[in-house]
């Protein structure tokens, strides 16, 4: 006799087996072009805003089991991605106990895996809307199950899927492929960072996607705080592409400027919601030990909140290196945001001005080859001379040196960075940075 618990176990086993069979199913057949015409992958009738990860997975598309050396790409990108990439688990995560608990604490009616507030980043954003409104329910379900699929980074494919199989495609520049077809030029550092920032920093609603926001409500409910730094996150993404030289200085600098702009776009949206949004501030301003003595008192903040310590310290340094007259709008925004109740409309005005300021940095930063206005020595000098007053700034400084040292290859600096691992590491499950670590001790040890 099966008890009800036994039935659940058997049921679960059947589900697992069905799941494994589904997962092992050979990917969709490769397109054939017997009549000489370019093959079509886009169903003529589909109105879906995305083509779906499954449409990239054919054995002779990107699902080859071996690298095809003579082709423009290995053609095994899907195969590598599905085996190694953390994004494949993004949707599965929403079924796990922590995610369900977060959803319960937030009072989301149908669980994390059905909530746009979670799906917007834990799958292709265009597949995160309510299913009943859509004619393509099956393709939406399939795409969600893939996690954060190919088109979340490369751009939604209906406009380039067929075109990218034609001969003319090979003659187009990356810029043309983007402008005419919407294929994101991920070889360009700014475009690459922008592709990640929508989910790793967050974004206002747009392009068919709902708002993407890990605010203090989500954090307090148990979500990890998002603290994106492009160099580190790209380094931690298992590559599914052919190895190619990448200018790490440029990626770091573009990462700082583009992430800061994304954070400002999100802040602008946040002025329309719960205000002020606590996730904008240095967490240790409110979360810290009460014991004396404390490193915090000499900073003399006296009740002022430290705003934007994660995303905005490095761009200010970069602007200095570029010889710009500082970042007056960003500095003014910082002053406004440090008030206990910053005025929303004044903040919005300054956000727009600060965005213009940041965009001015885009061109020089994206053209940086490691020399010129951002010469490495100059940057290092600037980073070292400034006063670090928060854990976030110290951590950004640390990550900057890790990134810049990939080119500089200073072994002594490399050793110092390694020796700081223990000071920086957070105990497992610790949701906030350590309020008891004096950030200046990290900088002092960098300087030694
Ligand atoms: C703005 C995008 C975004 C939104 C919205 C979002 N997440 Fe996440 N989530 C992430 C990212 C990015 C990570 C990975 C954390 C990191 O390393 O930065 C993550 C990690 C997690 C983790 C931890 C996974 C692990 O293995 O450690 C859980 C659980 C989670 N999210 C659940 C949720 C739930 C539940 C919601 C909705 C209430 C949600 N997320 C909304 C982007 C988002
Ligand atoms: C998290 C973002 C992300 C996702 C998801 C993603 N890619 Fe990529 N992909 C990249 C990056 C970054 C590169 C490298 C770009 C560069 O340096 O030029 C890349 C490169 C590629 C290339 C070029 C390979 C080469 O050797 O030049 C192909 C093809 C590709 N991806 C296919 C896919 C397919 C198919 C999927 C889904 C199974 C996928 N990608 C999912 C980020 C992503
Ligand atoms: C559509 C949203 C989305 C996009 C776009 C995206 N990510 Fe993610 N990323 C996530 C989510 C959600 C997770 C957490 C996955 C999980 O564990 O559930 C994640 C996890 C990661 C992780 C693992 C983090 C950890 O703590 O283990 C890395 C590294 C990463 N992403 C890098 C990138 C890079 C680099 C890009 C841009 C090229 C990018 N991601 C684009 C949503 C996204
Ligand atoms: C302006 C002050 C303030 C700032 C800044 C702030 N928090 Fe909080 N946080 C609070 C308060 C107050 C609570 C308790 C809220 C409640 O119980 O409803 C809280 C609750 C939390 C909790 C839940 C703790 C628990 O035991 O339930 C976590 C986790 C958390 N915050 C993390 C963070 C992180 C990470 C940051 C930085 C990104 C941050 N907070 C920034 C004031 C702040």
């Amino acid at each position: 006799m099966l008890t009800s618990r036994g039935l659940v176990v058997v049921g679960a086993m059947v589900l697992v087996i069905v799941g494994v069979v589904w997962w092992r199913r050979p990917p969709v057949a490769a397109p054939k072009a017997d009549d000489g015409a370019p093959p079509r992958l886009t169903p003529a009738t589909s109105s879906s805003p995305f083509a779906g990860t499954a449409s990239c997975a054919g054995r002779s598309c990107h699902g080859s089991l071996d690298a095809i050396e003579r082709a423009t790409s290995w053609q095994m990108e899907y195969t590598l991605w599905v085996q190694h990439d953390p994004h494949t688990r993004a949707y599965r995560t929403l079924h796990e106990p922590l995610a369900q608990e977060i959803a319960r604490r937030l009072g989301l009616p149908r669980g994390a895996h059905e909530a746009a507030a979670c799906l917007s980043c834990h799958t292709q954003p265009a597949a995160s809307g309510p299913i009943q409104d859509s004619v393509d329910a099956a393709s939406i379900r399939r795409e969600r199950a893939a996690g954060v699929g190919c088109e979340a980074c490369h751009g939604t494919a209906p406009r380039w899927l067929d075109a990218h199989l034609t001969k003319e495609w090979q003659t187009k520049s990356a810029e043309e492929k983007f402008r005419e077809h919407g294929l994101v030029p991920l070889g360009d550092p700014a475009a690459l960072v922008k592709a990640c920032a929508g989910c790793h920093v967050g974004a206002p609603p747009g392009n068919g996607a709902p708002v993407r926001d890990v605010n203090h409500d989500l954090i307090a409910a148990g979500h990890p705080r998002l603290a994106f730094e492009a160099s580190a996150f790209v380094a931690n993404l298992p590559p599914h592409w052919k190895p190619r030289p990448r200018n790490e200085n440029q990626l770091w600098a573009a990462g700082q400027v583009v992430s800061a702009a994304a954070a400002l776009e999100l802040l602008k949206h946040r002025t329309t919601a719960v205000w002020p949004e606590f996730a904008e501030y240095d967490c240790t301003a409110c979360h810290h030990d009460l014991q004396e003595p404390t490193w915090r008192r000499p900073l003399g903040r006296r009740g002022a909140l430290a705003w934007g310590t994660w995303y905005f310290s490095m761009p200010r340094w970069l602007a200095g290196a570029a010889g710009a007259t500082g970042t007056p709008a960003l500095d003014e925004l910082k002053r406004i945001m440090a008030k206990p109740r910053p005025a929303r409309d004044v903040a919005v005005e300054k956000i727009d001005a600060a965005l213009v300021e940041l965009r001015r940095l885009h061109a020089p930063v994206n053209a940086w080859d490691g020399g010129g206005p951002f010469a490495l020595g100059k940057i290092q000098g600037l980073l070292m001379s400034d006063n670090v007053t928060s854990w976030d700034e110290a951590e950004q400084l640390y990550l900057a040196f890790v990134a810049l040292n990939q080119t500089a290859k200073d072994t002594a600096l490399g050793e110092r960075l390694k020796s700081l691992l223990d000071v920086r590491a957070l105990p497992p499950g610790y949701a906030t940075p350590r309020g008891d670590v004096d950030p200046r001790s990290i900088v002092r040890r960098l300087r030694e």
Side-chain angles (χ1 to χ4, degrees), residues 125-173:
S128 60
I131 281 195
Q132 63 271 27
D133 291 347
S134 165
V135 284
D136 275 331
S139 69
I140 287 184
R141 288 217 171 80
R142 205 177 315 119
E143 188 56 11
R144 286 182 182 178
V148 171
C150 320
E151 292 159 272
C153 292
H154 289 281
T156 46
R159 276 169 59 223
W160 53 262
L161 194 58
D162 289 330
H164 93 299
L165 302 168
T166 60
K167 282 222 168 65
E168 299 90 279
W169 187 258
Q170 307 299 334
T171 66
K172 288 183 194 282
S173 68

Side-chain angles (χ1 to χ4, degrees), residues 251-265:
L251 176 62
W252 171 74
Q256 290 301 329
V257 174
V258 174
S259 304
L264 284 181
E265 301 278 6

Side-chain angles (χ1 to χ4, degrees), residues 369-406:
D369 58 1
F374 305 115
L376 204 57
K378 194 171 168 187
I379 288 266
Q380 285 185 334
L382 273 167
L383 292 181
M384 282 305 201
S385 65
D386 215 272
N387 230 349
V388 165
T389 57
S390 71
W391 192 93
D392 281 357
E393 284 168 301
E395 181 64 10
Q396 281 280 11
L397 193 60
Y398 173 89
L399 293 172
F401 277 93
V402 172
L404 299 177
N405 204 35
Q406 292 196 48

Side-chain angles (χ1 to χ4, degrees), residues 286-305:
C286 301
H287 299 279
H288 55 81
D289 290 339
L290 291 175
Q291 77 219 14
E292 298 278 355
T294 161
W295 59 269
R296 301 170 61 261
R297 192 182 300 276
L299 298 179
R301 282 195 202 135
R302 295 181 197 284
L305 285 172

Side-chain angles (χ1 to χ4, degrees), residues 13-279:
M13 281 167 66
V14 170
L15 277 178
V16 166
I17 291 164
V18 170
V20 167
V21 170
W22 181 84
W23 195 245
R24 295 269 149 150
R25 208 172 42 150
V28 290
K32 287 211 175 74
D34 295 338
D35 54 0
R40 277 189 67 87
L41 285 171
T42 324
T45 54
S46 172
S47 60
S48 177
F50 53 86
T53 296
S55 68
C56 316
R59 287 273 184 266
S60 61
C61 299
H62 298 287
S64 170
L65 296 180
D66 301 298
I68 298 175
E69 293 292 347
R70 62 196 147 65
T72 46
S73 84
W74 278 335
Q75 295 187 209
M76 64 178 308
E77 293 77 18
Y78 171 84
T79 316
L80 292 169
W81 176 84
V82 85
Q83 288 180 58
H84 305 292
D85 199 287
H87 295 100
T88 55
R89 63 171 189 252
Y91 178 67
R92 237 178 306 143
T93 291
L94 297 183
H95 291 81
E96 283 164 9
L98 174 57
Q100 295 295 336
E101 183 58 22
I102 294 171
R104 195 191 59 76
R105 288 175 182 152
L106 290 171
L108 299 175
R110 279 174 302 158
H113 61 289
E114 293 281 336
C118 310
L119 287 164
S120 55
C121 298
H122 283 260
T123 185
Q124 154 69 43
S128 60
I131 281 195
Q132 63 271 27
D133 291 347
S134 165
V135 284
D136 275 331
S139 69
I140 287 184
R141 288 217 171 80
R142 205 177 315 119
E143 188 56 11
R144 286 182 182 178
V148 171
C150 320
E151 292 159 272
C153 292
H154 289 281
T156 46
R159 276 169 59 223
W160 53 262
L161 194 58
D162 289 330
H164 93 299
L165 302 168
T166 60
K167 282 222 168 65
E168 299 90 279
W169 187 258
Q170 307 299 334
T171 66
K172 288 183 194 282
S173 68
E175 201 273 326
E176 284 166 332
K177 291 173 185 174
F178 178 58
R179 191 163 26 85
E180 294 165 17
H181 300 276
L183 179 73
V184 177
L186 293 174
D188 172 73
L192 171 64
V193 179
K194 199 156 184 248
C196 320
C199 297
H200 282 275
V201 178
N207 294 329
V211 59
R212 287 174 273 172
D213 191 0
V214 172
N215 57 23
H216 188 266
D217 281 357
L218 264 75
I219 297 172
H223 199 283
R225 174 199 187 199
L226 298 189
F228 181 66
E229 197 282 313
S231 291
F233 274 74
V234 171
N236 283 334
L237 193 65
H240 52 262
W241 51 90
K242 286 184 176 179
R244 59 174 64 97
R246 195 194 300 280
N247 183 334
E248 294 296 336
N249 297 343
Q250 202 183 57
L251 176 62
W252 171 74
Q256 290 301 329
V257 174
V258 174
S259 304
L264 284 181
E265 301 278 6
L266 179 63
L267 174 62
K268 196 168 166 180
H269 179 77
R270 282 173 168 174
T271 61
T272 65
V274 175
W275 185 253
E277 170 48 56
F278 286 3

